[in-house]
Amino acid sequence: MKLSVPRRAAAAAAFALAGLLASGAPAASAAPVAPVTTLAAPDIPLANVKAHLTQLQTIATNNGGNRAHGRAGYKASLDYVKAKLDAAGFTTSVQQFTSSGATGYNLIADWPGGDVNQTVMAGAHLDSVSSGPGINDNGSGSAAVLETALAVSRAQLQPAKHLRFGWWGAEELGLVGSKYYVNSLPSTERSKISGYLNFDMIGSSNPGYFVYDDDPVIEQTFKSYFSGIGVPTEIETEGDGRSDHASFKNVGIPVGGLFTGASRTKSSAQAQKWGGTAGQAFDRCYHSSCDTTSSINDTALDRNSDAIAHAVWSLSAGTTEPPGDFYENAADVTVPDAGAAVTSTVNVSGRSGNAPAVLKVGVDIKHTWRGDLVIDLLAPDGTAYRLKNSSGSDSADNVITTYTVDASTETANGDWKLRVQDVARYDTGYIDSWKLTF
Ligand code: DTR
Ligand code: CA
Ligand code: ZN
Ligand code: ZN
């Protein structure tokens, strides 16, 4: 038993997640990463994503059949995406660069708010090859990221971390646009990007469900989403260096992403797992003129769009309170034999809103014949929550246990009290310590 003032545990667990994202590996001294309380992401309407693909298809059709770097179809694609984002309240900027003698463009869209020192970024290359409209490669990633950004706007999401979205030019020429973006960022700005999520080909006609095996937290975020919808995933093994995430990874930014496959052939085991056709390419129209809206697998596009939203929502959420926070009073308080009730107080401060529906009340009361005791929790407004009634037959000693109380109608901050009364003669004891865990 020791005397101490009410204290608040310093819980670093919630920041371990940021540390994981920042460093790509768990910090040596990091506490186990506590669950992050997040708002559930909305469903991303497949119809909206497909409407963007239809627009990109039309743009290609009206501009020589492609949306390639240096061609009119690319700039028209960028103008389409930018107009949607401007109308939805994003702060957009267009970054110009030159590649192979032609002007290229990146589109960056920032969602106002959030901690810019912990920026979560999602992106996709917007250019196609010159031999086709590039609807899966990579209209699919571009449209899904766009619709996720629009969902952020519809929700007026206010995540703890800052959200940024990027659409890259000239990926097909060798990740030119994303490299230009990253290389143009001062290192101080790069270090603010806690993670980059890449989506390049996520609607392949004979799809697989591949998750990049890079940052463990991002990888797990995607894996748990897909396992939650009963879809098995595989680690993307051919991905290194094959798309824009490489530009970010090369400067030490944690990356992750999703992929449904390109020219590789689906195995029979994969066909067993995912359906589709074994012995056929995941996308038989890869880099071809048939990479059109009719070559998209809707189920794959929908699932991946929803996975993107899930990742954006969960990786950008901070926790309003570090979970596992507790307030304790370890001062001894004697309980008079068959006498008046006594109280012990903890002061809760710095929290927002109400107490939780599952407020844990840990008590440690040393007392013989504990059946003598009546125990209550008193909220700051005086509301009493009965934790234990007296019981003449309960002859065991001490009450060392944790009760749970639905305190969701009580404001969290204020003086909470444990009230203990000994209602029967001869046995005595004291409050050793007690604590509230939010
Ligand atoms: N290089 C991409 C397509 C691609 C091929 N393999 C992977 C692996 C992971 C992401 C993308 C890709 C392109 O042609 O745009
Ligand atoms: Ca959906
Ligand atoms: Zn490509
Ligand atoms: Zn691509």
Side-chain angles (χ1 to χ4, degrees):
M1 184 278 295
K2 56 198 175 305
L3 289 184
S4 76
V5 291
R7 62 189 173 88
R8 175 175 180 175
F15 303 102
L17 178 59
L20 280 175
L21 286 180
S23 66
S29 57
V33 174
V36 175
T37 50
T38 61
L39 294 169
D43 173 72
I44 299 298
L46 172 64
N48 293 11
V49 182
K50 293 189 73 173
H52 300 315
L53 293 184
T54 300
Q55 289 294 328
L56 296 177
Q57 177 77 63
T58 302
I59 287 168
T61 304
N62 295 342
N63 290 280
N66 68 73
R67 300 179 305 100
H69 164 71
R71 310 290 182 83
Y74 177 75
K75 186 62 168 59
S77 302
L78 184 137
D79 291 343
Y80 168 77
V81 175
K82 183 178 186 299
K84 291 285 185 187
L85 293 162
D86 288 338
F90 283 82
T91 304
T92 60
S93 60
V94 178
Q95 184 182 49
Q96 286 194 16
F97 58 88
T98 301
S99 180
S100 306
T103 302
Y105 307 89
N106 292 325
L107 173 63
I108 304 299
D110 283 277
W111 180 242
D115 179 3
V116 293
N117 294 306
Q118 300 180 79
T119 294
V120 174
M121 198 165 180
H125 75 85
L126 185 58
D127 63 313
S128 75
V129 290
S130 53
S131 53
I135 297 305
N136 186 38
D137 182 19
N138 183 40
S140 62
S142 297
V145 171
L146 170 60
E147 191 56 30
T148 298
L150 297 180
V152 166
S153 173
R154 287 193 293 268
Q156 284 297 297
L157 189 65
Q158 296 299 315
K161 299 176 183 130
H162 182 70
L163 280 176
R164 180 174 299 153
F165 299 87
W167 288 263
W168 312 116
E171 184 271 350
E172 299 290 5
L173 280 70
L175 320 185
V176 176
S178 57
K179 278 180 188 166
Y180 183 86
Y181 172 75
V182 166
N183 294 339
S184 305
L185 275 182
S187 58
T188 50
E189 291 303 307
R190 289 181 196 167
S191 62
K192 293 176 182 176
I193 300 176
S194 55
Y196 171 72
L197 314 178
N198 191 63
F199 306 100
D200 183 354
M201 300 180 71
I202 59 168
S204 306
S205 52
N206 186 25
Y209 292 88
F210 298 99
V211 177
Y212 295 11
D213 61 338
D214 286 291
D215 178 77
V217 173
I218 299 174
E219 178 183 339
Q220 189 53 48
T221 300
F222 285 124
K223 278 179 168 174
S224 51
Y225 177 78
F226 278 101
S227 62
I229 59 169
V231 174
T233 55
E234 287 185 10
I235 290 302
E236 165 45 43
T237 52
E238 66 163 317
D240 278 354
R242 295 290 301 267
S243 191
D244 295 300
H245 59 298
S247 304
F248 291 81
K249 185 175 180 179
N250 290 342
V251 296
I253 294 171
V255 301
L258 300 172
F259 178 56
T260 49
S263 49
R264 267 189 175 177
T265 303
K266 181 181 278 185
S267 70
S268 48
Q270 289 171 327
Q272 280 288 327
K273 188 188 306 188
W274 290 321
T277 310
Q280 229 179 58
F282 291 105
D283 182 350
R284 57 179 175 280
C285 288
Y286 175 57
H287 284 186
S288 307
S289 58
C290 62
D291 184 2
T292 65
T293 46
S294 53
S295 177
I296 288 289
N297 179 290
D298 286 358
T299 304
L301 184 63
D302 189 25
R303 286 171 172 171
N304 282 295
S305 300
D306 292 336
I308 294 169
H310 169 78
V312 164
W313 256 252
S314 54
L315 291 171
S316 63
T319 47
T320 47
E321 312 295 356
D325 226 7
F326 64 85
Y327 307 76
E328 187 177 22
N329 188 336
D332 289 359
V333 180
T334 300
V335 181
D337 187 23
V342 292
T343 60
S344 172
T345 302
V346 294
N347 175 262
V348 174
S349 61
R351 304 196 74 84
S352 52
N354 284 2
V358 183
L359 177 63
K360 293 197 171 74
V361 187
V363 302
D364 182 347
I365 300 171
K366 304 293 195 302
H367 196 288
T368 54
W369 201 292
R370 68 187 176 203
D372 289 2
L373 300 180
V374 174
I375 306 173
D376 293 299
L377 174 70
L378 304 184
D381 68 356
T383 308
Y385 294 82
R386 177 55 50 92
L387 303 180
K388 176 189 175 295
N389 290 311
S390 61
S391 155
S393 61
D394 186 356
S395 61
D397 295 341
N398 307 333
V399 181
I400 302 172
T401 189
T402 297
Y403 300 98
T404 54
V405 171
D406 177 356
S408 54
T409 57
E410 307 292 344
T411 53
N413 294 330
D415 284 345
W416 293 75
K417 299 179 189 295
L418 186 73
R419 182 172 66 191
V420 181
Q421 186 173 18
D422 176 348
V423 298
R425 295 203 59 78
Y426 304 121
D427 287 276
T428 57
Y430 63 95
I431 301 170
D432 191 344
S433 68
W434 76 289
K435 71 179 178 182
L436 288 177
T437 302
F438 283 72

